[in-house]
Amino acid sequence: MNAYKLPILSALLLLAAGCGNYLSVQPQGKVIPETDEEFASLIHNRINSIEGGEDEYIIGNYDGIILYESFSDNLDANVKIGSLAAYAGDKINARQLTYKNTFAVIRDCNIVLENMRGRDTELSRKLMAASYAIKGICYYNLIRNYCEACSPSGAASRLGLPLIDSFDMEAMPAREPLDVTVEYAADLLKKSMDYHITDGMFLFTENVVKAYLAKLLFWAGDYASVIPLCEQLMTVKEYRLATIGEYASMIQAKNASGQEVIVRSHINNSCDLDWYYSMIIKDLRTRPVSASLVRLFDADKEKDVRYAVSFDAKRLNMKNSSAKVRGSEIVLMLAEAYAQTGSEAKALEQLNYLRRNRIEGVEDYTMDTLPEVNQNALIKEDSQGRPLSRLMSAIFDERRKELYLEADRWFELKRNGCPEMWVINNGLKYTTKRYLYTAPIYKGDTDLNDKMIQNEGYVS
C-alpha cells in the first residue's frame, strides 16, 4: 500500500498554527513538488500515520478513544479518576490544539488538490480522490467537535467553520453557517466518490468514503439521505455483521480488520508509540465501567457475546478497541434513520438483525415487547428534541452496548440533547455543562481574526 517513501519537501512541512497561520503559509523561494510521486508523499505520510496508529485527526487512534470515553458516562469517574480526564473541561487546551492540527491536514490536502487538477494519470486520480476524502473527513470531525449539534429546526442558524480551499496570506475568513459547512463537507466526500476508487492504495475507497458520508449526514439529521447509503453498504458481503462466533476475534484483533470492519487505524505493528498505547490500556483499567452501562446487559448477560468481551466481574475494561468504522454502526444508523422517517417496521428489523448476531438464542423484539423507556437514562430526547419512544430507546441502548470504547458515546450525548452530568471524586464536583459538548476554537485564530467567532462559554 505504501509504495512511495519519498521525503516530504521542506516547503510542504511548514506547520500551520491553526486556520489563521494556515492561511499565511506561502512557500517563498522554495521548490514546489512537480511529479505525481512527490505529491503522493504528502498523502502517504497521512496514510502511514493511520496505519501505524498515530493518526489523531482523520480516523483517530486509541488515545482519542480513551479521551472521549472519559468525557462520557461510559466510565465511572465517581469511583476513581486516576490519570484519565474527569470530564470534558479537563482537556480544553488539548482540544484547541486538535482544531489547529486538523487544519494542518487540510492544508496538505489542499496542496494536492490545487496542484494536481487536470492531470490524467492513474496515480493522480487516486491522489485527488484520497485528498477529497481526507479533507471531507477532517471537516466532519471538526463539525462534530467545534460546532453545536444540529437543532431540530435545522443548522442554518448555527455557526459552522471557515471553508478553506487555497492559500491566501491576506484572507481572514469568517465562520460559515453550519448547514453550509455540512454541505461543503458532503460535497468533498461526493467528489472523492466520483473517482470510484476500489483499491486500497490510499485506504479511502469509494465504499469507505460512502460510510463517512452516511456518518456526516446522520450527524446533520438528514435521515432520508442516510438510508440509501447505508442500504448500499450493507449489500457488501465484507461489511455484513460479524456472527456471534466471529465477534470476539474481530473486536480484540490488535492489527487485523476482520468481518464487518469497513476501515480502521493501527493495521500494522510498527508504530513507535505502541508502548504508549499499552500504557493507556493499563490506565483505562484504573476506572471501572459505569454501572448504568453494565445494567443494560442484565436481561441477556450470559448470552450476549459483548458482555464478556467488554469488561470483567470488577467492571474493568477488557475490550481492545481501535478507531474504526464497522457494519454495526451502519446498521444502527439505518435503524434510527428508518425510525426517524416513520418506517418503524424496518427500524425494528435492523435492530433485531444486530441483536441476533450478538445474543445467543435471543427472541426478536416486536413493537409490543420492546422494553419500557428507562426514565433514569441520561439521554431523554432524540436528535429532533422529542421524548424517547420505546423503539428509539432500544436503539440507543444497543448502540451504547455495541460501540462502547469506540469513541461514540460522547457524541451520542451531544447529538441527543447535550444532557448535563456531574461526578464527585476526592471531594470535588466536576460538572459537564451543556457548552462543554462543543470545544473551543483555537485561540490563536480568534486572536488573529476578529471575524473568527469563539464558541459560547469560552473567553476568546
mmCIF file of all heavy atoms in Angstrom, residues 3-41:
data_model
loop_
_atom_site.group_PDB
_atom_site.id
_atom_site.type_symbol
_atom_site.label_atom_id
_atom_site.label_comp_id
_atom_site.label_asym_id
_atom_site.label_seq_id
_atom_site.Cartn_x
_atom_site.Cartn_y
_atom_site.Cartn_z
ATOM 1 N N ALA A 3 3.652 2.544 -1.441
ATOM 2 C CA ALA A 3 4.631 2.351 -2.496
ATOM 3 C C ALA A 3 5.652 3.475 -2.542
ATOM 4 O O ALA A 3 6.755 3.300 -3.034
ATOM 5 C CB ALA A 3 3.917 2.249 -3.834
ATOM 6 N N TYR A 4 5.277 4.648 -2.023
ATOM 7 C CA TYR A 4 6.138 5.807 -2.160
ATOM 8 C C TYR A 4 6.655 6.228 -0.804
ATOM 9 O O TYR A 4 5.889 6.520 0.103
ATOM 10 C CB TYR A 4 5.384 6.955 -2.829
ATOM 11 C CG TYR A 4 4.860 6.569 -4.174
ATOM 12 C CD1 TYR A 4 3.541 6.148 -4.317
ATOM 13 C CD2 TYR A 4 5.690 6.570 -5.293
ATOM 14 C CE1 TYR A 4 3.061 5.746 -5.554
ATOM 15 C CE2 TYR A 4 5.213 6.173 -6.523
ATOM 16 C CZ TYR A 4 3.901 5.761 -6.643
ATOM 17 O OH TYR A 4 3.426 5.374 -7.854
ATOM 18 N N LYS A 5 7.941 6.262 -0.648
ATOM 19 C CA LYS A 5 8.565 6.624 0.617
ATOM 20 C C LYS A 5 9.378 7.905 0.463
ATOM 21 O O LYS A 5 10.318 8.153 1.196
ATOM 22 C CB LYS A 5 9.488 5.489 1.083
ATOM 23 C CG LYS A 5 8.767 4.161 1.271
ATOM 24 C CD LYS A 5 7.840 4.201 2.448
ATOM 25 C CE LYS A 5 7.243 2.838 2.713
ATOM 26 N NZ LYS A 5 6.339 2.824 3.867
ATOM 27 N N LEU A 6 9.010 8.731 -0.520
ATOM 28 C CA LEU A 6 9.788 9.940 -0.773
ATOM 29 C C LEU A 6 9.687 10.894 0.396
ATOM 30 O O LEU A 6 8.645 11.016 1.021
ATOM 31 C CB LEU A 6 9.261 10.634 -2.034
ATOM 32 C CG LEU A 6 9.353 9.834 -3.327
ATOM 33 C CD1 LEU A 6 8.728 10.633 -4.465
ATOM 34 C CD2 LEU A 6 10.798 9.518 -3.645
ATOM 35 N N PRO A 7 10.762 11.605 0.709
ATOM 36 C CA PRO A 7 10.692 12.596 1.788
ATOM 37 C C PRO A 7 9.785 13.746 1.383
ATOM 38 O O PRO A 7 9.706 14.116 0.226
ATOM 39 C CB PRO A 7 12.145 13.056 1.943
ATOM 40 C CG PRO A 7 12.764 12.794 0.600
ATOM 41 C CD PRO A 7 12.102 11.545 0.082
ATOM 42 N N ILE A 8 9.101 14.301 2.339
ATOM 43 C CA ILE A 8 8.234 15.466 2.081
ATOM 44 C C ILE A 8 9.112 16.706 2.031
ATOM 45 O O ILE A 8 9.887 16.961 2.949
ATOM 46 C CB ILE A 8 7.178 15.602 3.174
ATOM 47 C CG1 ILE A 8 6.325 14.344 3.179
ATOM 48 C CG2 ILE A 8 6.312 16.814 2.965
ATOM 49 C CD1 ILE A 8 5.322 14.312 4.283
ATOM 50 N N LEU A 9 8.987 17.448 0.985
ATOM 51 C CA LEU A 9 9.860 18.600 0.786
ATOM 52 C C LEU A 9 9.619 19.649 1.855
ATOM 53 O O LEU A 9 8.528 19.789 2.385
ATOM 54 C CB LEU A 9 9.608 19.197 -0.606
ATOM 55 C CG LEU A 9 9.911 18.238 -1.774
ATOM 56 C CD1 LEU A 9 9.635 18.921 -3.083
ATOM 57 C CD2 LEU A 9 11.344 17.751 -1.696
ATOM 58 N N SER A 10 10.681 20.408 2.140
ATOM 59 C CA SER A 10 10.607 21.367 3.238
ATOM 60 C C SER A 10 9.499 22.388 3.037
ATOM 61 O O SER A 10 8.913 22.874 3.989
ATOM 62 C CB SER A 10 11.949 22.085 3.397
ATOM 63 O OG SER A 10 12.296 22.762 2.198
ATOM 64 N N ALA A 11 9.215 22.718 1.787
ATOM 65 C CA ALA A 11 8.149 23.692 1.532
ATOM 66 C C ALA A 11 6.813 23.197 2.018
ATOM 67 O O ALA A 11 5.920 23.987 2.318
ATOM 68 C CB ALA A 11 8.067 23.997 0.044
ATOM 69 N N LEU A 12 6.629 21.869 2.095
ATOM 70 C CA LEU A 12 5.349 21.305 2.489
ATOM 71 C C LEU A 12 5.305 20.935 3.952
ATOM 72 O O LEU A 12 4.286 20.491 4.446
ATOM 73 C CB LEU A 12 5.064 20.064 1.645
ATOM 74 C CG LEU A 12 5.078 20.310 0.152
ATOM 75 C CD1 LEU A 12 4.763 19.010 -0.585
ATOM 76 C CD2 LEU A 12 4.115 21.402 -0.226
ATOM 77 N N LEU A 13 6.422 21.127 4.661
ATOM 78 C CA LEU A 13 6.461 20.765 6.064
ATOM 79 C C LEU A 13 6.251 21.957 6.981
ATOM 80 O O LEU A 13 6.383 21.836 8.185
ATOM 81 C CB LEU A 13 7.810 20.105 6.401
ATOM 82 C CG LEU A 13 7.927 18.640 5.969
ATOM 83 C CD1 LEU A 13 9.318 18.131 6.257
ATOM 84 C CD2 LEU A 13 6.890 17.801 6.668
ATOM 85 N N LEU A 14 5.961 23.131 6.422
ATOM 86 C CA LEU A 14 5.657 24.297 7.259
ATOM 87 C C LEU A 14 4.409 24.015 8.047
ATOM 88 O O LEU A 14 3.375 23.691 7.497
ATOM 89 C CB LEU A 14 5.458 25.529 6.368
ATOM 90 C CG LEU A 14 6.692 25.955 5.560
ATOM 91 C CD1 LEU A 14 6.316 27.029 4.566
ATOM 92 C CD2 LEU A 14 7.780 26.431 6.483
ATOM 93 N N LEU A 15 4.495 24.128 9.342
ATOM 94 C CA LEU A 15 3.360 23.774 10.193
ATOM 95 C C LEU A 15 2.355 24.902 10.229
ATOM 96 O O LEU A 15 2.713 26.072 10.295
ATOM 97 C CB LEU A 15 3.840 23.454 11.612
ATOM 98 C CG LEU A 15 4.706 22.193 11.724
ATOM 99 C CD1 LEU A 15 5.135 22.003 13.170
ATOM 100 C CD2 LEU A 15 3.930 20.991 11.235
ATOM 101 N N ALA A 16 1.081 24.521 10.239
ATOM 102 C CA ALA A 16 0.015 25.518 10.293
ATOM 103 C C ALA A 16 -0.365 25.780 11.730
ATOM 104 O O ALA A 16 -0.701 24.873 12.447
ATOM 105 C CB ALA A 16 -1.207 25.010 9.526
ATOM 106 N N ALA A 17 -0.325 27.032 12.149
ATOM 107 C CA ALA A 17 -0.759 27.383 13.506
ATOM 108 C C ALA A 17 -2.234 27.685 13.459
ATOM 109 O O ALA A 17 -2.682 28.814 13.553
ATOM 110 C CB ALA A 17 0.020 28.593 14.006
ATOM 111 N N GLY A 18 -3.051 26.644 13.286
ATOM 112 C CA GLY A 18 -4.495 26.827 13.186
ATOM 113 C C GLY A 18 -4.857 27.351 11.821
ATOM 114 O O GLY A 18 -4.019 27.509 10.927
ATOM 115 N N CYS A 19 -6.128 27.653 11.656
ATOM 116 C CA CYS A 19 -6.601 28.134 10.366
ATOM 117 C C CYS A 19 -5.944 29.455 10.012
ATOM 118 O O CYS A 19 -5.642 29.732 8.874
ATOM 119 C CB CYS A 19 -8.123 28.281 10.424
ATOM 120 S SG CYS A 19 -8.821 28.877 8.892
ATOM 121 N N GLY A 20 -5.696 30.324 11.027
ATOM 122 C CA GLY A 20 -5.110 31.627 10.764
ATOM 123 C C GLY A 20 -3.737 31.516 10.158
ATOM 124 O O GLY A 20 -3.449 32.041 9.094
ATOM 125 N N ASN A 21 -2.824 30.825 10.829
ATOM 126 C CA ASN A 21 -1.487 30.661 10.289
ATOM 127 C C ASN A 21 -1.477 29.766 9.067
ATOM 128 O O ASN A 21 -0.621 29.891 8.200
ATOM 129 C CB ASN A 21 -0.547 30.094 11.350
ATOM 130 C CG ASN A 21 -0.125 31.158 12.343
ATOM 131 O OD1 ASN A 21 -0.495 32.315 12.211
ATOM 132 N ND2 ASN A 21 0.631 30.750 13.335
ATOM 133 N N TYR A 22 -2.404 28.853 9.000
ATOM 134 C CA TYR A 22 -2.527 28.004 7.811
ATOM 135 C C TYR A 22 -2.692 28.866 6.568
ATOM 136 O O TYR A 22 -2.080 28.637 5.538
ATOM 137 C CB TYR A 22 -3.712 27.060 7.976
ATOM 138 C CG TYR A 22 -4.229 26.494 6.680
ATOM 139 C CD1 TYR A 22 -3.527 25.500 6.004
ATOM 140 C CD2 TYR A 22 -5.405 26.969 6.113
ATOM 141 C CE1 TYR A 22 -3.992 24.980 4.825
ATOM 142 C CE2 TYR A 22 -5.867 26.454 4.931
ATOM 143 C CZ TYR A 22 -5.158 25.462 4.288
ATOM 144 O OH TYR A 22 -5.630 24.956 3.121
ATOM 145 N N LEU A 23 -3.485 29.922 6.693
ATOM 146 C CA LEU A 23 -3.749 30.768 5.541
ATOM 147 C C LEU A 23 -2.504 31.534 5.113
ATOM 148 O O LEU A 23 -2.390 31.952 3.971
ATOM 149 C CB LEU A 23 -4.872 31.756 5.868
ATOM 150 C CG LEU A 23 -6.246 31.123 6.041
ATOM 151 C CD1 LEU A 23 -7.225 32.146 6.570
ATOM 152 C CD2 LEU A 23 -6.731 30.565 4.726
ATOM 153 N N SER A 24 -1.544 31.728 6.031
ATOM 154 C CA SER A 24 -0.376 32.526 5.708
ATOM 155 C C SER A 24 0.796 31.698 5.190
ATOM 156 O O SER A 24 1.845 32.233 4.910
ATOM 157 C CB SER A 24 0.073 33.309 6.948
ATOM 158 O OG SER A 24 0.581 32.422 7.925
ATOM 159 N N VAL A 25 0.603 30.377 5.092
ATOM 160 C CA VAL A 25 1.695 29.521 4.612
ATOM 161 C C VAL A 25 1.834 29.685 3.093
ATOM 162 O O VAL A 25 1.002 29.217 2.344
ATOM 163 C CB VAL A 25 1.435 28.045 4.970
ATOM 164 C CG1 VAL A 25 2.534 27.172 4.366
ATOM 165 C CG2 VAL A 25 1.410 27.869 6.477
ATOM 166 N N GLN A 26 2.837 30.407 2.679
ATOM 167 C CA GLN A 26 3.114 30.592 1.261
ATOM 168 C C GLN A 26 4.573 30.251 1.023
ATOM 169 O O GLN A 26 5.453 30.978 1.463
ATOM 170 C CB GLN A 26 2.860 32.048 0.846
ATOM 171 C CG GLN A 26 1.381 32.384 0.684
ATOM 172 C CD GLN A 26 0.887 32.009 -0.704
ATOM 173 O OE1 GLN A 26 1.498 31.206 -1.382
ATOM 174 N NE2 GLN A 26 -0.212 32.579 -1.114
ATOM 175 N N PRO A 27 4.865 29.129 0.371
ATOM 176 C CA PRO A 27 6.269 28.794 0.114
ATOM 177 C C PRO A 27 6.954 29.928 -0.656
ATOM 178 O O PRO A 27 6.545 30.256 -1.767
ATOM 179 C CB PRO A 27 6.193 27.522 -0.723
ATOM 180 C CG PRO A 27 4.857 26.932 -0.383
ATOM 181 C CD PRO A 27 3.956 28.111 -0.147
ATOM 182 N N GLN A 28 7.952 30.544 -0.039
ATOM 183 C CA GLN A 28 8.668 31.663 -0.650
ATOM 184 C C GLN A 28 10.071 31.186 -1.041
ATOM 185 O O GLN A 28 10.881 30.855 -0.189
ATOM 186 C CB GLN A 28 8.757 32.837 0.337
ATOM 187 C CG GLN A 28 7.394 33.329 0.826
ATOM 188 C CD GLN A 28 6.701 34.171 -0.232
ATOM 189 O OE1 GLN A 28 7.346 34.660 -1.164
ATOM 190 N NE2 GLN A 28 5.399 34.340 -0.083
ATOM 191 N N GLY A 29 10.353 31.163 -2.331
ATOM 192 C CA GLY A 29 11.666 30.759 -2.787
ATOM 193 C C GLY A 29 11.955 29.294 -2.566
ATOM 194 O O GLY A 29 13.115 28.898 -2.501
ATOM 195 N N LYS A 30 10.921 28.462 -2.406
ATOM 196 C CA LYS A 30 11.099 27.033 -2.196
ATOM 197 C C LYS A 30 10.779 26.277 -3.486
ATOM 198 O O LYS A 30 10.166 26.808 -4.400
ATOM 199 C CB LYS A 30 10.177 26.543 -1.063
ATOM 200 C CG LYS A 30 10.378 27.274 0.263
ATOM 201 C CD LYS A 30 11.701 26.936 0.903
ATOM 202 C CE LYS A 30 11.831 27.574 2.274
ATOM 203 N NZ LYS A 30 13.110 27.263 2.919
ATOM 204 N N VAL A 31 11.169 25.038 -3.530
ATOM 205 C CA VAL A 31 10.901 24.197 -4.694
ATOM 206 C C VAL A 31 9.549 23.532 -4.508
ATOM 207 O O VAL A 31 9.339 22.786 -3.548
ATOM 208 C CB VAL A 31 11.998 23.139 -4.872
ATOM 209 C CG1 VAL A 31 11.668 22.226 -6.049
ATOM 210 C CG2 VAL A 31 13.356 23.801 -5.084
ATOM 211 N N ILE A 32 8.614 23.804 -5.403
ATOM 212 C CA ILE A 32 7.288 23.194 -5.334
ATOM 213 C C ILE A 32 7.358 21.811 -5.979
ATOM 214 O O ILE A 32 7.972 21.647 -7.038
ATOM 215 C CB ILE A 32 6.257 24.063 -6.083
ATOM 216 C CG1 ILE A 32 6.217 25.470 -5.466
ATOM 217 C CG2 ILE A 32 4.866 23.422 -6.034
ATOM 218 C CD1 ILE A 32 5.787 25.502 -4.022
ATOM 219 N N PRO A 33 6.759 20.791 -5.370
ATOM 220 C CA PRO A 33 6.754 19.454 -5.989
ATOM 221 C C PRO A 33 6.181 19.505 -7.396
ATOM 222 O O PRO A 33 5.305 20.310 -7.698
ATOM 223 C CB PRO A 33 5.864 18.645 -5.049
ATOM 224 C CG PRO A 33 5.956 19.352 -3.742
ATOM 225 C CD PRO A 33 6.069 20.800 -4.077
ATOM 226 N N GLU A 34 6.682 18.626 -8.229
ATOM 227 C CA GLU A 34 6.239 18.616 -9.616
ATOM 228 C C GLU A 34 5.632 17.283 -10.028
ATOM 229 O O GLU A 34 4.649 17.257 -10.755
ATOM 230 C CB GLU A 34 7.420 18.950 -10.543
ATOM 231 C CG GLU A 34 7.952 20.371 -10.362
ATOM 232 C CD GLU A 34 9.094 20.677 -11.306
ATOM 233 O OE1 GLU A 34 9.550 19.738 -12.006
ATOM 234 O OE2 GLU A 34 9.539 21.842 -11.349
ATOM 235 N N THR A 35 6.198 16.188 -9.604
ATOM 236 C CA THR A 35 5.735 14.888 -10.076
ATOM 237 C C THR A 35 4.604 14.343 -9.203
ATOM 238 O O THR A 35 4.418 14.746 -8.053
ATOM 239 C CB THR A 35 6.889 13.877 -10.064
ATOM 240 O OG1 THR A 35 7.268 13.610 -8.703
ATOM 241 C CG2 THR A 35 8.091 14.413 -10.826
ATOM 242 N N ASP A 36 3.853 13.405 -9.788
ATOM 243 C CA ASP A 36 2.797 12.744 -9.017
ATOM 244 C C ASP A 36 3.367 12.102 -7.756
ATOM 245 O O ASP A 36 2.756 12.155 -6.683
ATOM 246 C CB ASP A 36 2.130 11.657 -9.869
ATOM 247 C CG ASP A 36 1.311 12.221 -11.016
ATOM 248 O OD1 ASP A 36 1.202 13.464 -11.117
ATOM 249 O OD2 ASP A 36 0.803 11.412 -11.824
ATOM 250 N N GLU A 37 4.548 11.490 -7.905
ATOM 251 C CA GLU A 37 5.147 10.778 -6.776
ATOM 252 C C GLU A 37 5.508 11.727 -5.640
ATOM 253 O O GLU A 37 5.405 11.374 -4.457
ATOM 254 C CB GLU A 37 6.380 10.000 -7.234
ATOM 255 C CG GLU A 37 6.067 8.784 -8.094
ATOM 256 C CD GLU A 37 5.714 9.143 -9.536
ATOM 257 O OE1 GLU A 37 5.886 10.319 -9.922
ATOM 258 O OE2 GLU A 37 5.265 8.236 -10.272
ATOM 259 N N GLU A 38 5.961 12.938 -5.981
ATOM 260 C CA GLU A 38 6.309 13.912 -4.948
ATOM 261 C C GLU A 38 5.055 14.354 -4.176
ATOM 262 O O GLU A 38 5.087 14.499 -2.953
ATOM 263 C CB GLU A 38 7.025 15.109 -5.581
ATOM 264 C CG GLU A 38 8.446 14.790 -6.020
ATOM 265 C CD GLU A 38 9.083 15.899 -6.820
ATOM 266 O OE1 GLU A 38 8.350 16.748 -7.368
ATOM 267 O OE2 GLU A 38 10.328 15.921 -6.918
ATOM 268 N N PHE A 39 3.972 14.566 -4.891
ATOM 269 C CA PHE A 39 2.726 14.911 -4.207
ATOM 270 C C PHE A 39 2.198 13.718 -3.401
ATOM 271 O O PHE A 39 1.610 13.885 -2.329
ATOM 272 C CB PHE A 39 1.668 15.371 -5.216
ATOM 273 C CG PHE A 39 1.855 16.777 -5.702
ATOM 274 C CD1 PHE A 39 2.271 17.028 -7.001
ATOM 275 C CD2 PHE A 39 1.638 17.845 -4.859
ATOM 276 C CE1 PHE A 39 2.454 18.324 -7.443
ATOM 277 C CE2 PHE A 39 1.817 19.150 -5.298
ATOM 278 C CZ PHE A 39 2.230 19.396 -6.589
ATOM 279 N N ALA A 40 2.432 12.515 -3.930
ATOM 280 C CA ALA A 40 1.949 11.319 -3.230
ATOM 281 C C ALA A 40 2.575 11.176 -1.853
ATOM 282 O O ALA A 40 1.969 10.611 -0.938
ATOM 283 C CB ALA A 40 2.243 10.068 -4.063
ATOM 284 N N SER A 41 3.801 11.718 -1.685
ATOM 285 C CA SER A 41 4.465 11.598 -0.389
ATOM 286 C C SER A 41 3.668 12.291 0.713
ATOM 287 O O SER A 41 3.682 11.844 1.871
ATOM 288 C CB SER A 41 5.882 12.167 -0.465
ATOM 289 O OG SER A 41 5.875 13.562 -0.695
#
